[in-house]
């Protein structure tokens, strides 16, 4: 045998090739499933910015049809991808302002120079690809704006009583040695301002607790008992304000939820009615049940709410009459607390009002189901 003659290469291992192909296909299916079911929108672009792949989340965010377009419909995304392709960093993030549907999208572009190739979901040759990750952050942006607004309003509301307390304390110090009657008058006003500040802080703490739904209990609550207790306290407050008070509370009304928060809701509704009803007026509480629903109605014959303000009375710090509400000790948070509690319990709250004739606030909650009765006795054998 000629030693210089090259021997033929051994036959390929078909079993090994088949196993490798199966492994690649399994990896492709796994990656495809991960992309398809991701909550984050994912778009893959080639170097000409043509979309190669868009998962269902991305299609929903960008309002894409079944067929992918030659370019993405938002110029900001194409610009972001182009900057990543030509820039040194290989990644960039941008927040896109509200679109025609009011959506705010946070987009992150990543350049992957080896994203394609065998086993990839796009199945292209190994070439640079741009991966766009899209998140709908509309709710997040709205919540952040609400929090900033809340902090600004809370700071403003806290500033007023604290400034008054400081001024009154200084006035008392000046008058203490020379004018006892003036010092006493300033001290009386100081007590009122500290009470107002205390009420505001308590309402702020209540609202902060309501921001965490996980802190709300889901117990079976005897709403009738809670309503009777709050009605007794409201009757005393109404009598002190020169009002008549009536309560009609059905027996055995039960809901599922947090007893302390439901009491807070009732207390704020009744306090609101007493506070804004002039002497000689009436306040009434009705708690009824029908089928699987519970209704709580608090009616007053007070000043009423103008139609233009009725849609906003549940907003934090919103007051129909700013100056008068503050002078009467209102914090502007009572009805916002009511709405939070009701919504956390899966219910609804509404107001009906006519200027000069009073208001009715109605809460609807789901009634707790009655416990199952005892099992039926087995038939007596004959």
């Amino acid at each position: 045998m000629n030693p210089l003659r090259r021997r033929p290469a051994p036959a390929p291992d078909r079993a090994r090739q088949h196993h490798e192909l199966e492994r690649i296909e399994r990896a492709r299916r796994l990656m495809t499933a991960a992309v398809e079911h991701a909550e984050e929108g994912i778009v893959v672009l080639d170097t000409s910015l043509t979309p190669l792949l868009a998962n269902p989340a991305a299609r929903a965010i960008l309002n894409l049809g079944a067929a992918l377009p030659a370019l993405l419909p938002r110029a900001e995304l194409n610009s972001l991808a182009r900057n990543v392709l030509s820039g040194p960093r290989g990644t960039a993030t941008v927040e896109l302002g509200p679109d025609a549907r009011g959506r705010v999208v946070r987009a992150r572009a990543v350049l992957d120079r080896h994203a394609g190739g065998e086993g990839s979901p796009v199945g292209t040759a190994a070439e640079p690809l741009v991966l766009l990750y899209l998140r709908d952050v509309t709710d997040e942006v709205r919540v952040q704006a609400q929090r900033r607004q809340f902090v600004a309003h809370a700071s403003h509301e806290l500033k007023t009583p604290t400034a008054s307390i400081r001024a009154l304390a200084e006035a008392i110090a000046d008058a203490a040695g020379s004018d006892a009657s003036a010092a006493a008058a300033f001290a009386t006003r100081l007590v009122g301002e500290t009470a107002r500040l205390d009420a505001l802080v308590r309402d702020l703490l209540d609202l902060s607790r309501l921001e965490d739904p996980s802190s709300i209990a889901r117990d079976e609550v005897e709403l009738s008992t809670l309503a009777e207790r709050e009605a007794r306290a409201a009757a005393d407050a109404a009598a002190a304000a020169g009002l008549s008070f009536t309560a009609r509370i059905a027996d055995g009304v039960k809901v599922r939820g947090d007893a302390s928060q439901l009491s807070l809701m009732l207390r704020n509704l009744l306090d609101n009615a007493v506070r804004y009803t002039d002497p000689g007026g009436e306040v009434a509480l009705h708690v009824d049940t029908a089928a699987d629903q519970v209704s709580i109605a608090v009616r007053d014959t007070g000043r009423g709410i103008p139609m233009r303000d009725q849609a906003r009375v549940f907003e934090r710090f919103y007051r129909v009459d700013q100056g008068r509400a503050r002078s009467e000790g209102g914090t502007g948070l009572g009805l916002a607390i009511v709405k939070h509690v009701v919504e956390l319990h899966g219910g609804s709250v509404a107001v009906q009002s006519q200027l000069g004739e009073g208001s009715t606030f109605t809460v609807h909650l789901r009634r707790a189901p009655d416990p199952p009765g005892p099992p039926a006795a087995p038939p007596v054998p004959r």
Side-chain angles (χ1 to χ4, degrees):
M1 182 176 177
N2 187 350
L4 299 178
R5 187 175 181 180
R6 185 173 297 174
R7 294 181 180 181
D13 188 340
R14 295 184 181 276
R16 183 177 299 173
Q17 279 187 342
H18 181 70
H19 177 75
E20 183 64 17
L21 288 174
E22 281 189 338
R23 185 190 67 79
I24 293 171
E25 176 61 20
R26 185 167 58 252
R28 189 193 66 80
R29 288 198 303 269
L30 288 173
M31 285 190 288
T32 301
V35 169
E36 288 292 304
H37 296 288
E39 291 185 2
E40 194 172 33
I42 301 173
V43 182
V44 181
L45 308 173
D46 63 15
T47 53
S48 64
L49 305 185
T50 300
L52 303 176
L53 177 148
N55 70 345
R59 291 175 184 272
I61 291 172
L62 299 175
N63 200 26
L64 299 178
L68 290 175
L71 283 175
L72 291 177
R74 300 197 67 164
E76 305 99 316
L77 292 177
N78 293 311
S79 177
L80 178 68
R82 191 177 298 109
N83 291 340
V84 165
L85 276 170
S86 60
R89 295 183 58 186
T91 182
T93 302
V94 68
E95 192 167 284
L96 309 180
D99 59 13
R101 294 175 293 170
R103 285 185 170 183
V104 179
V105 175
R106 186 171 296 141
R108 182 169 64 95
V110 178
L111 176 64
D112 193 324
R113 301 188 183 280
H114 307 287
E118 198 174 28
S120 75
V122 292
T124 65
E127 63 175 9
L129 297 175
V130 177
L131 312 179
L132 284 179
Y133 299 94
L134 310 174
R135 280 186 58 209
D136 185 340
V137 294
T138 308
D139 291 339
E140 179 183 330
V141 169
R142 184 174 64 250
V143 168
Q144 289 174 351
Q146 288 174 344
R147 285 178 177 169
R148 286 194 298 269
Q149 187 180 44
F150 176 69
V151 170
H153 284 164
S155 301
H156 175 74
E157 294 291 332
L158 288 167
K159 182 179 179 180
T160 303
T162 51
S164 297
I165 289 170
R166 178 175 179 177
L168 288 167
E170 291 173 351
I172 291 171
D174 292 339
S178 58
D179 192 342
S181 61
F186 290 142
T188 300
R189 290 174 55 190
L190 182 61
V191 170
E193 289 296 328
T194 54
R196 176 181 167 190
L197 181 60
D198 177 66
L200 180 57
V201 170
R202 281 189 284 106
D203 281 353
L204 288 171
L205 290 174
D206 287 333
L207 267 179
S208 69
R209 282 191 287 267
L210 292 171
E211 294 291 342
D212 180 13
S214 64
S215 67
I216 304 300
R218 299 296 174 189
D219 304 321
E220 187 175 83
V221 178
E222 184 84 33
L223 188 64
S224 300
T225 303
L226 294 184
E228 288 168 359
R229 184 174 66 233
E230 296 301 331
R232 287 193 293 270
D236 293 340
L243 311 175
S244 65
F245 179 83
T246 58
R248 190 186 70 220
I249 301 170
D251 294 330
V253 178
K254 295 180 180 179
V255 297
R256 189 162 293 281
D258 189 303
S260 64
Q261 299 299 343
L262 291 167
S263 290
L264 181 65
M265 178 265 293
L266 285 164
R267 194 177 313 135
N268 277 283
L269 282 174
L270 292 167
D271 178 72
N272 187 74
V274 171
R275 188 184 303 277
Y276 296 109
T277 302
D278 294 327
E282 301 174 3
V283 173
L285 167 66
H286 293 166
V287 178
D288 299 302
T289 181
D292 62 345
Q293 291 289 316
V294 173
S295 67
I296 302 165
V298 175
R299 180 181 59 83
D300 65 66
T301 59
R303 304 158 202 167
I305 304 169
M307 183 62 70
R308 67 178 183 275
D309 296 306
Q310 291 181 22
R312 301 191 61 189
V313 292
F314 296 103
E315 294 178 12
R316 298 167 177 178
F317 298 112
Y318 188 80
R319 299 180 178 91
V320 176
D321 185 339
Q322 295 280 347
R324 191 168 183 178
R326 282 197 179 95
S327 67
E328 292 170 343
T331 64
L333 294 172
L335 291 177
I337 290 173
V338 168
K339 184 179 180 183
H340 266 68
V341 173
V342 172
E343 290 180 346
L344 284 172
H345 286 77
S348 63
V349 59
V351 60
Q352 289 182 322
S353 185
Q354 190 165 346
L355 200 60
E357 296 188 11
S359 306
T360 300
F361 287 85
T362 306
V363 172
H364 291 287
L365 298 173
R366 184 172 293 277
R367 181 182 179 183
D370 295 326
V380 178
R382 298 187 178 185

